[in-house]
Amino acid sequence: MQTHYSDLLVIGAGLSGERIAVEAAQAGFGVTVLSIVPARRSHSSAAQGGMQAALGNCAMGKDDCPDVHFLDTVKGSDWGADQEVARMFVDTAPIEMRRLAYWGVPWNRVVPGKSFYFKGGEKFEKVEPEDRAGLITARSFGGTAKWRTCYTSDGTGHAVMCTMDNRCAQLGIDVRDRCEAIALIHDGQTCFGAIVRSLRSGELSAYLARATAVCTGGFGRIYKATTNAVICDGAGHIIALDTGAVPVGNPEAIQFHPTGIVPTDILVTEGCRGDGGTLLDVNQDRFMQIYEPEKAELASRDVVSRRMTEHMRKGLGVKSAYGDHLWLDIRHLGDKHISTKLREVDEICKYFLGIDARTQLIPVRPTQHYTMSGIRTDKDGAAYGLTGLFSAGEAACWDMHGFNRLGGNSLAETVVAGGIIGAKIAEFLGGHEVKFDTTLVRQAGAQAEERIKAIVSGTNGHEDVYKVRGALQEALMDGCFVFRNGPDLEKCIDTLHEVYERSGRVGLRSNGLGANPELAVALKIRGMVKLGLCIAYGALARTESRGSHTREDYPERNDRDWLTRTLAYWPDGAEKPVLKYEPSSPVYELPPGDRGYGGGKIIPADPASLTLIKKEVKG
Amino acid sequence: MARLLKLNVFRYNPQDPKSVPHLQTYVLDETDNMTMFIALNRVREEQDPGLQFDFCCRAGICGSCAMVINGRPSLACHTKTKDLPDEITLLPLPVFKLIGDLSVDTGVWFRAMYDKVESWIHTRKEFDPKALEERMDNAVAEQIYELERCIECGCCVAACGTARLRDDFMGAAALNRVARFVVDPRDTRTDKEYFEIIGNDTGIFGCMGLLACEDVCPKDLPLQNQLGYLRRKMGITALKSLFSRK
Ligand SMILES: Cc1cc2nc3c(=O)[nH]c(=O)nc-3n(C[C@H](O)[C@H](O)[C@H](O)COP(=O)(O)OP(=O)(O)OC[C@H]3O[C@@H](n4cnc5c(N)ncnc54)[C@H](O)[C@@H]3O)c2cc1C
Ligand code: SF4
Ligand code: SF4
Ligand code: FES
């Protein structure tokens, strides 16, 4: 087994991973970045809408400031966010957008003068100020008080990813694709790096480092309907959870997106609704304004997803061979808007549905979209449980999103958190020395080899890995989707335990040689089911509704008992996760209150139990 | 009646000493709105679990899934089976190193390209976190973005006669990358500096201008315009440097 050494090992070359790498390399440290796919193909590149930052340049973002962004973020999180982290994030975001402009991102800019926009299907006029000409502009996105989402046409993630990867190339950072981390090397106290499988040759190597950062993105692929890329299957969470020492925060906090196309679940951006697209039912009537008179289509996405499901349950969905769906209508936005500002959407309709969005309706339904849940870290990005292990981006629960992240806040998080945590890692590296125990490294390698041998030779059984994965995905769609309730969750847990047992008996049907794809899934399947069980147990225990976690049998948000974050551990050899809890936030700059949308009753917290901090919050 | 599709797929695993390159045939029933993404995954899950191919976004955004489909380099994920005949032949992209079956190594090729063309903004300015961003005309930003849309799928390189003949030829994707920085006012490189990168037979003067590249680009990048623009610009730079040497 070959061994590589660097100061910092970053697992994941999406925006968060590369941003960390850049920060550490600029501070003079040797960095290796690993990725399953070439860096630019990371899922960050699929984000179309944009990044939130309170620059306040455009007319509709006038008087915006980090304080207003803070209010939106904490309200959006349904008070599940760590408010210290949310504060750091909103304050840093505008600077980070400017830094990205300096590095080369072609942000859309303010064009002074009159222009039109649509809201709820109606046309409005706005006048962009002369003195802001050429500054970074913004568009509207669900759940925000101001237009705050910086964008580059319909390919923000792609454009920022290109710039970040260019920056890595410029700094000479060693970015290696087709390298998949399959285990962390650790002694229960400290993390020393990872065991990595080459997706070219199938060979294993040890990547040793004084610090390791897991930036592997979300894990939507454990659901059947998801907007996520096929590589978003939780590999990073799995290797962290497998240590037994590191918890997954709020596993039950999973976001669903209102507009995945039917049948492939490819996302059409929230920008569609932000720009004035509307949702229609089987009678081609708008309905969101019935449920949400003020925000209508622009309410936060858990609210929109829930209302859509509710409306379809009333029998007002459109029947199709793939189940019920609703319509998204952007016809009135016109050719120019659709072919420039919403070009990717236009292409998706053409290439994947064979329809023209200028004249036809787009079939959509809610689908899994984002994992607020992730490797729990402190505000410096240091993972709970192991020294030298860090995490950032969608893989992490840092936790600025709580139980619902706002559109545009996660792409912004990747770069903002990456910058902040990268600097903290550089600081850590300055004072952290480790002794690498070669026995430990060899053991970790041998263990991985044993596992592979057993799977390839079918020592434990001959379960078909794709069938086991299918069973996991179905179970979660049934029990842990937009709506949840006690009996269904209990049933889901029973099913998942069966699937878990099967996952231990997986054996290959192919020969396992080289970059064998069946083996790649087989190595993860047990961990994927573990993640599913963490979601189900977390959701069953949380007897309240908060953000995207909606319990039909507990419709109220219960701040008295549940202003907490779930920490799910999986101790070595355990059959199910161990759940612990911590307060949602160490301090409350914004005390728990009403979000102003979504409705629902709140059981208030005992004020004496909250540490409030006084701050003049404008807006 | 649903069609039965016949898929002839190139198979070869260089890591398996017993493997020899050959075409293998799979038969599959076509379903509504089927893309090659759905078809190939069904083949893998139902018939041949070891079959290698690459998908990531499955939405035409990331550039992972380029392969030669009935003779034409294309993105598999946005190829609909209903646009194809009953018999479909799938080959890996040429030019790039084969990893196995339909999977090729585009990652290493493109990373080498970034270094060759120095794919980043060259500037002497320092970033000032307290200052407002530098202003830019929105039309310029959109012009840059237009060229930034390349997803590095490799189709243009695979289709290019020159790239197939000489492996040091940069290909349309690299030349388009240079054009992206040429139009960016933040990059201070001069024509002469660009000339040093692309003003030779491995760059713009190696291009035969037959435009197979633009024809296959799934993002419809204006490669013809960019190649023409660079050829003129570099031609003028060559002339200038000829005269200034006197
Ligand atoms: C379709 C879609 C659209 C979106 N649009 C928006 C938007 O408009 N605005 C917004 O704010 N957010 C959006 N999001 C969310 C946002 O894009 C993601 O949260 C964010 O990009 C995640 O970035 P990341 O760096 O954390 O992870 P990713 O970009 O997913 O990168 C993960 C990296 O980890 C690597 N990796 C994974 N496992 C391993 C392993 N085991 N070993 C080695 N490497 C590994 C991968 O190869 C990849 O490089 C969208 C998400 C989706 C699904
Ligand atoms: S025009 Fe030039 S780059 Fe394009 S295919 Fe022909 S030789 Fe290759
Ligand atoms: S220029 Fe077009 S064909 Fe070539 S790599 Fe880029 S997107 Fe692909
Ligand atoms: S899988 Fe991303 S472009 Fe086809």
Side-chain angles (χ1 to χ4, degrees):
Chain A
M1 194 173 61
Q2 277 212 359
T3 307
H4 301 262
Y5 172 80
S6 44
D7 293 321
L8 170 62
L9 175 67
V10 183
I11 303 172
L15 279 178
S16 55
E18 287 208 330
R19 182 65 187 88
I20 284 184
V22 163
E23 199 64 27
Q26 283 174 172
F29 294 102
V31 186
T32 305
V33 186
L34 305 179
S35 175
I36 293 179
V37 292
R40 287 170 206 226
R41 312 214 193 289
S42 298
H43 197 50
S44 291
S45 68
Q48 306 161 309
M51 292 190 180
Q52 283 206 44
L55 290 159
N57 289 330
C58 65
M60 301 298 288
K62 191 165 177 287
D63 298 328
D64 195 13
C65 63
D67 291 344
V68 185
H69 190 184
F70 177 81
L71 295 182
D72 283 342
T73 302
V74 175
K75 281 185 195 166
S77 80
D78 226 355
W79 277 269
D82 180 322
Q83 297 198 7
E84 268 188 306
V85 167
R87 175 46 77 182
M88 260 196 303
F89 164 73
V90 296
D91 287 347
T92 315
I95 303 167
E96 190 64 23
M97 299 307 120
R98 296 187 179 119
R99 193 190 315 271
L100 292 172
Y102 164 78
W103 281 338
V105 173
W107 294 120
N108 276 87
R109 305 293 180 132
V110 174
V111 179
K114 262 189 220 166
S115 55
F116 297 103
Y117 68 98
F118 287 89
K119 196 177 163 186
E122 273 180 69
K123 199 171 181 182
F124 295 89
E125 190 187 280
K126 63 183 172 66
V127 182
E128 294 293 346
E130 199 66 50
D131 64 330
R132 300 281 170 155
L135 295 177
I136 300 170
T137 191
R139 60 156 59 125
S140 176
F141 231 29
T144 67
K146 303 277 180 187
W147 286 25
R148 185 187 296 130
T149 306
C150 310
Y151 65 98
T152 57
S153 187
D154 230 334
T156 312
H158 168 79
V160 179
M161 198 64 246
C162 288
T163 294
M164 198 62 75
D165 199 34
N166 284 341
R167 181 74 187 146
C168 285
Q170 182 181 10
L171 292 169
I173 295 172
D174 187 359
V175 182
R176 304 183 176 198
D177 64 306
R178 293 188 193 260
C179 290
E180 179 165 25
I182 60 167
L184 290 175
I185 305 168
H186 70 102
D187 61 3
Q189 310 284 323
T190 307
C191 181
F192 301 103
I195 300 293
V196 175
R197 176 171 177 253
S198 161
L199 300 180
R200 289 188 176 81
S201 65
E203 271 163 328
L204 297 185
S205 334
Y207 280 75
L208 303 182
R210 290 193 289 135
T212 303
V214 178
C215 305
T216 48
F219 56 87
R221 281 285 153 179
I222 70 173
Y223 283 86
K224 184 134 267 170
T226 175
T227 60
N228 288 193
V230 298
I231 62 167
C232 299
D233 49 15
H237 304 83
I238 293 167
I239 57 178
L241 202 59
D242 276 347
T243 64
V246 181
V248 168
N250 280 343
E252 65 272 33
I254 308 284
Q255 187 177 66
F256 304 93
H257 196 285
T259 52
I261 62 166
V262 180
T264 41
D265 299 295
I266 296 170
L267 173 123
V268 291
T269 174
E270 204 145 33
C272 286
R273 283 176 298 122
D275 290 358
T278 56
L279 290 167
L280 308 179
D281 62 17
V282 66
N283 303 317
Q284 303 207 6
D285 290 330
R286 274 185 75 205
F287 57 90
M288 275 306 298
Q289 81 287 356
I290 306 172
Y291 302 99
E292 302 293 326
E294 206 165 304
K295 297 223 163 184
E297 278 87 352
L298 295 177
S300 74
R301 51 173 66 145
D302 59 317
V303 173
V304 177
S305 299
R306 198 182 314 151
R307 298 305 196 191
M308 286 171 74
T309 310
E310 210 174 325
H311 204 65
M312 286 192 284
R313 280 192 184 175
K314 288 184 185 162
L316 292 163
V318 185
K319 304 257 176 286
S320 85
Y322 309 96
D324 286 6
H325 65 78
L326 294 159
W327 298 116
L328 175 65
D329 184 6
I330 59 170
R331 293 173 301 186
H332 50 285
L333 300 183
D335 176 51
K336 177 142 187 271
H337 194 97
I338 292 173
S339 49
T340 56
K341 295 247 161 58
L342 296 171
R343 175 154 63 186
E344 305 282 338
V345 177
D346 192 21
E347 288 179 359
I348 286 168
C349 289
K350 190 163 108 202
Y351 289 126
F352 303 97
L353 293 168
I355 64 165
D356 182 355
R358 290 164 195 78
T359 54
Q360 287 168 292
L361 299 171
I362 310 168
V364 293
R365 69 175 167 208
T367 154
Q368 191 286 342
H369 183 48
Y370 185 80
T371 42
M372 281 74 74
S373 159
I375 297 166
R376 178 64 183 139
T377 71
D378 66 14
K379 64 180 176 190
D380 297 339
Y384 283 21
L386 285 181
T387 308
L389 183 65
F390 295 80
S391 182
E394 190 170 342
C397 178
W398 188 31
D399 169 10
M400 53 171 274
H401 305 299
F403 276 79
N404 176 53
R405 64 107 200 185
L406 296 182
N409 255 359
S410 49
L411 205 58
E413 178 191 15
T414 61
V415 286
V416 173
I420 292 171
I421 292 167
K424 287 290 172 187
I425 292 176
E427 217 176 284
F428 171 86
L429 285 170
H432 175 72
E433 297 302 334
V434 293
K435 285 208 176 81
F436 294 107
D437 178 348
T438 53
T439 320
L440 192 76
V441 178
R442 222 159 1 105
Q443 267 169 7
Q447 236 170 40
E449 257 156 36
E450 283 302 309
R451 266 180 73 206
I452 290 175
K453 218 185 271 165
I455 293 171
V456 173
S457 61
T459 318
N460 302 326
H462 297 281
E463 280 283 355
D464 176 342
V465 70
Y466 298 118
K467 294 216 170 96
V468 176
R469 187 177 66 184
L472 161 71
Q473 292 168 330
E474 292 292 350
L476 289 173
M477 293 302 281
D478 289 342
C480 298
F481 207 54
V482 183
F483 284 94
R484 298 156 182 194
N485 63 62
D488 284 349
L489 282 166
E490 273 163 23
K491 209 172 99 201
C492 177
I493 286 174
D494 287 344
T495 313
L496 287 176
H497 275 297
E498 273 167 45
V499 180
Y500 184 62
E501 197 258 329
R502 282 172 67 192
S503 73
R505 287 189 272 118
V506 160
L508 292 199
R509 290 171 300 147
S510 56
N511 62 17
L513 293 174
N516 183 282
E518 191 185 17
L519 180 57
V521 188
L523 282 167
K524 278 179 280 201
I525 188 66
R526 209 163 165 73
M528 289 169 75
V529 187
K530 280 188 187 176
L531 285 173
L533 279 162
C534 288
I535 298 176
Y537 274 105
L540 181 65
R542 186 171 286 274
T543 47
E544 66 154 356
S545 293
R546 186 181 295 275
S548 61
H549 171 68
T550 308
R551 283 286 297 259
E552 293 170 299
D553 42 355
Y554 295 94
E556 57 290 307
R557 190 182 91 203
N558 184 344
D559 289 344
R560 187 189 60 210
D561 305 317
W562 288 105
L563 204 53
T564 56
R565 179 175 302 102
T566 311
L567 299 174
Y569 292 83
W570 201 292
D572 208 18
E575 282 304 305
K576 61 177 195 176
V578 173
L579 303 184
K580 297 181 183 171
Y581 293 91
E582 66 178 6
S584 292
S585 188
V587 292
Y588 290 86
E589 192 180 318
L590 185 70
D594 185 6
R595 298 164 97 190
Y597 49 82
K601 245 180 61 199
I602 296 169
I603 300 171
D606 171 9
S609 71
L610 307 176
T611 314
L612 300 180
I613 53 167
K614 280 249 152 42
K615 190 162 186 297
E616 267 305 296
V617 176
K618 284 181 276 171
Chain B
M1 254 297 281
R3 284 197 300 172
L4 280 185
L5 301 175
K6 196 171 148 197
L7 266 54
N8 305 316
V9 180
F10 177 84
R11 299 300 314 271
Y12 176 53
N13 182 356
Q15 304 292 325
D16 177 358
K18 288 203 227 94
S19 177
V20 283
H22 65 286
L23 280 184
Q24 190 163 336
T25 301
Y26 306 94
V27 176
L28 197 68
D29 59 302
E30 188 176 30
T31 51
D32 281 349
N33 286 340
M34 188 186 242
T35 61
M36 286 315 299
F37 167 70
I38 295 172
L40 280 169
N41 274 289
R42 269 189 55 199
V43 169
R44 186 192 272 174
E45 289 178 23
E46 296 166 11
Q47 305 186 30
D48 196 338
L51 181 62
Q52 293 183 48
F53 50 76
D54 295 317
F55 286 100
C56 183
C57 71
R58 58 80 180 83
I61 295 171
C62 76
S64 294
C65 63
M67 56 183 73
V68 180
I69 304 176
N70 281 355
R72 184 186 164 85
S74 326
L75 294 181
C77 73
H78 78 167
T79 301
K80 294 190 285 288
T81 53
K82 74 167 179 221
D83 298 338
L84 296 170
D86 301 353
E87 189 160 345
I88 303 167
T89 300
L90 303 176
L91 305 176
L93 283 191
V95 183
F96 301 96
K97 185 171 174 226
L98 181 77
I99 288 176
D101 304 339
L102 298 173
S103 176
V104 297
D105 202 337
T106 48
V108 163
W109 195 94
F110 277 96
R111 280 213 98 68
M113 180 273 268
Y114 310 158
D115 287 339
K116 219 181 302 174
V117 307
E118 303 194 358
S119 170
W120 51 82
I121 299 275
H122 291 55
T123 175
R124 283 215 181 73
K125 289 189 187 136
E126 294 284 333
F127 176 67
D128 176 0
K130 290 194 203 72
L132 271 188
E133 64 271 25
E134 258 186 51
R135 290 174 199 252
M136 181 185 274
D137 193 42
N138 192 54
V140 174
E142 285 183 346
Q143 205 187 346
I144 298 168
Y145 178 73
E146 180 65 15
L147 305 183
E148 189 99 290
R149 289 186 307 110
C150 168
I151 55 174
E152 304 190 352
C153 63
C155 286
C156 57
V157 180
C160 169
T162 312
R164 286 204 224 179
L165 286 178
R166 49 187 300 176
D167 56 12
D168 59 353
F169 181 59
M170 287 180 167
L175 294 167
N176 173 70
R177 180 62 47 83
V178 170
R180 179 246 173 268
F181 288 100
V182 172
V183 298
D184 194 325
R186 291 168 294 197
D187 197 312
T188 54
R189 275 180 281 184
T190 59
D191 285 355
K192 209 161 154 260
E193 285 169 279
Y194 288 121
F195 187 84
E196 270 157 33
I197 303 172
I198 59 165
N200 51 52
D201 281 355
T202 71
I204 193 67
F205 298 131
C207 168
M208 300 181 295
L210 298 176
L211 299 172
C213 50
E214 173 157 317
D215 197 41
V216 297
C217 175
K219 289 278 137 181
D220 297 326
L221 283 161
L223 298 173
Q224 174 171 15
N225 285 345
Q226 296 315 314
L227 293 170
Y229 168 68
L230 288 177
R231 195 175 297 114
R232 283 192 303 279
K233 203 173 170 66
M234 291 300 116
I236 293 168
T237 312
L239 283 178
K240 270 193 198 150
S241 65
L242 222 79
F243 287 116
S244 65
R245 244 184 251 141
K246 287 188 184 156

